[in-house]
C-alpha cells in the first residue's frame, strides 16, 4: 500500500488526483491534507511523516502583486522541505511546475526556482524527485477566471454570456484526467525501483489548438446540447473530454429535467428521446415499486436517463461533496436527466406501478474497462 499525500488537495488538480486515488483502494492509501497545514508546523510535520509519496501542487496562480505570488510559492516549497528534513523523511516528491518556467514572469520564476530547491533537497538526502513541467490543464470543476480559459468559456456559455478571445494563439492542452493518469503511472513505476531518481520531465500534451477553434467547439456544444438537447458529434477522446468539461458548468438544478416533446395522434404518442451525433448503446429497464438502481459514477462516460412510464426520483451527488440533487420525473411528461462525470447517481421507482426507463451511454460496455465505480448517493 502506497501512502500518498497531495498538497493543494482542495484545488482543481488536487481534487481530481485525490478522487482518482480513491479508485485504487488496494494500492493507495490517501493521506488527507488541508491548506491550514502550512500555518501549523506540527500538522505539516505530521503530514510528511505519514507519506510515502507527496505530490506538491499547493501554489498561488494569480495575484494582483506578482511579488506576493513569487514569494508565496517559494515559501510553500521551503516549508515542505523544512518539514521533511525536520522529520528526517524522504518521500518520493512530485512537483507540479509549468511551461511558464521559461518565461520572464514571477509565476514562471517561482516554479523554476521551486523545482530547483526540491531537486537540491532530493540530491542532498538521497531521495527521489520528479519535477513535472505541465502544459495547460483543463477539465471539469476548474474555477472560471482562474484555472483555465476553457473553464471561463464554458461558464460564460452556460450562464448567458459571450466569451471573448483576447489573444488567439495555439495552446497545448492536457485533460486533468490524463495528467492524473500520468502521475499515477509515475508513482506505480517508481514503487518497483529502489534506486533514487532525480528528474525533470515534460508531460506530453493531449492536443494543440487555437483558442478560437476551441471556442467554436464549445459554442457548438452550447447550440446543440445546451439549447436543443442534441448530443453533438464527438470525433475523438479529446472532444469527449471537452464536452464533459462543458457539461459540468451547467446549473443542473435549473436545467434538468428536460421535458421531451410528445407527438400525439389517435394511435397514441411518439417521443424522440435522444438525438445523436455519436454512437453508443441504448437500453431500457423495468423497475418494480420501491427499488433503486445505480449508485455509481463514471469518469468519462456520457449517460442519459429517460423516464417514459411511471414515477421516479433521480438523485445525483458530486464525489467528495455532501449536497444531493433530487429530480422527480413522471412518464406522463417524458423527460431526461444527463449524468455529469464524477457524480454518483441512482434512480428509484417512487410510484405504485412498474417504472420504464430508457438509458443511453456513449460507449459500449467493456467489462475490462467499465468506467463504473460504485458509491451510494446517500452515503458520504
Amino acid at each position: 500500500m502506497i501512502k500518498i499525500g497531495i498538497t493543494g488537495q482542495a484545488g482543481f488538480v488536487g481534487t481530481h488526483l485525490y478522487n482518482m486515488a480513491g479508485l485504487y483502494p488496494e494500492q493507495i492509501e490517501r493521506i488527507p491534507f488541508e491548506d491550514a497545514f502550512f500555518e501549523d508546523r506540527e500538522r505539516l510535520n505530521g503530514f510528511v511523516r505519514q507519506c510515502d509519496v507527496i505530490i506538491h501542487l499547493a501554489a498561488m496562480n494569480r495575484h494582483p502583486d506578482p511579488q506576493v505570488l513569487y514569494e508565496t510559492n517559494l515559501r510553500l516549497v521551503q516549508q515542505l522541505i523544512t518539514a521533511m528534513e525536520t522529520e528526517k523523511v524522504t518521500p518520493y516528491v512530485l512537483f507540479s511546475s509549468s511551461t511558464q518556467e521559461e518565461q520572464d514572469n514571477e509565476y514562471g520564476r517561482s516554479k523554476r526556482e521551486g523545482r530547483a530547491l526540491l531537486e537540491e533537497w532530493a540530491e542532498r538526502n538521497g531521495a527521489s524527485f520528479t519535477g513535472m513541467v505541465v502544459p495547460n490543464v483543463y477539465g471539469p470543476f476548474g474555477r472560471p477566471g482562474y484555472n483555465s480559459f476553457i473553464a471561463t468559456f464554458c461558464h460564460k456559455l452556460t450562464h448567458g454570456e459571450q466569451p471573448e478571445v483576447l489573444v488567439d494563439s495555439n495552446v497545448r492542452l492536457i485533460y486533468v484526467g490524463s495528467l492524473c493518469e500520468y502521475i499515477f503511472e509515475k508513482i506505480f513505476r517508481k514503487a518497483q525501483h529502489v534506486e533514487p531518481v532525480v528528474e525533470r520531465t515534460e508531460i506530453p500534451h493531449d492536443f494543440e489548438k487555437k483558442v478560437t477553434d476551441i471556442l467554436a467547439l464549445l459554442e457548438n456544444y452550447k447550440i446543440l446540447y445546451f439549447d436543443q438537447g442534441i448530443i453533438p458529434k464527438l470525433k475523438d477522446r479529446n472532444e469527449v473530454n471537452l464536452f464533459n468539461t462543458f457539461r459540468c458548468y451547467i446549473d443542473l438544478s435549473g436545467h434538468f429535467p428536460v421535458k421531451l416533446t410528445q407527438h400525439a395522434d389517435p394511435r397514441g404518442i411518439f417521443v424522440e428521446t435522444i438525438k445523436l451525433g455519436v454512437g453508443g448503446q441504448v437500453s431500457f429497464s423495468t423497475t418494480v415499486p420501491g427499488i433503486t438502481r445505480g449508485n455509481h459514477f463514471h469518469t468519462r462516460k456520457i449517460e442519459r436517463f429517460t423516464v417514459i412510464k411511471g414515477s421516479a426520483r433521480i438523485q445525483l451527488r458530486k464525489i467528495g461533496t455532501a449536497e444531493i440533487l433530487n429530480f422527480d420525473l413522471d412518464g406522463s411528461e417524458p423527460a431526461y436527466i444527463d449524468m455529469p462525470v464524477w457524480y454518483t447517481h441512482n434512480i428509484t421507482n417512487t410510484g405504485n406501478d412498474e417504472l420504464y426507463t430508457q438509458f443511453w451511454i456513449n460507449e459500449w460496455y467493456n467489462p475490462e474497462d467499465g468506467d463504473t465505480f460504485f458509491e451510494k448517493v446517500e452515503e458520504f
Side-chain angles (χ1 to χ4, degrees), residues 152-179:
T152 305
F153 285 0
C154 291
H155 185 269
K156 284 180 177 291
L157 287 169
T158 54
H159 289 77
E161 300 178 53
Q162 180 57 43
E164 293 182 38
V165 176
L166 301 179
V167 178
D168 191 20
S169 59
N170 282 328
V171 182
R172 292 181 175 179
L173 290 151
I174 185 169
Y175 184 60
V176 66
S178 301
L179 175 59

Side-chain angles (χ1 to χ4, degrees), residues 262-318:
Q262 300 187 53
H263 305 277
D265 63 24
R267 298 170 296 175
I269 64 169
F270 170 75
V271 179
E272 295 175 287
T273 58
I274 310 172
K275 295 179 179 179
L276 297 173
V278 295
Q281 173 183 289
V282 178
S283 57
F284 83 94
S285 74
T286 63
T287 306
V288 299
I291 294 299
T292 298
R293 293 178 177 274
N295 282 318
H296 62 241
F297 65 95
H298 310 295
T299 67
R300 66 169 188 267
K301 288 181 175 178
I302 309 163
E303 187 173 33
R304 175 171 294 184
F305 286 11
T306 306
V307 171
I308 57 178
K309 182 181 179 183
S311 300
R313 169 164 287 186
I314 294 175
Q315 296 183 302
L316 289 81
R317 177 176 60 78
K318 184 180 173 184

Side-chain angles (χ1 to χ4, degrees), residues 46 76 139 168 172 223 265 297 322 327 339 375:
L76 296 177
D168 191 20
R172 292 181 175 179
I223 293 167
D265 63 24
F297 65 95
F327 300 96
M339 307 303 150
E375 181 172 325

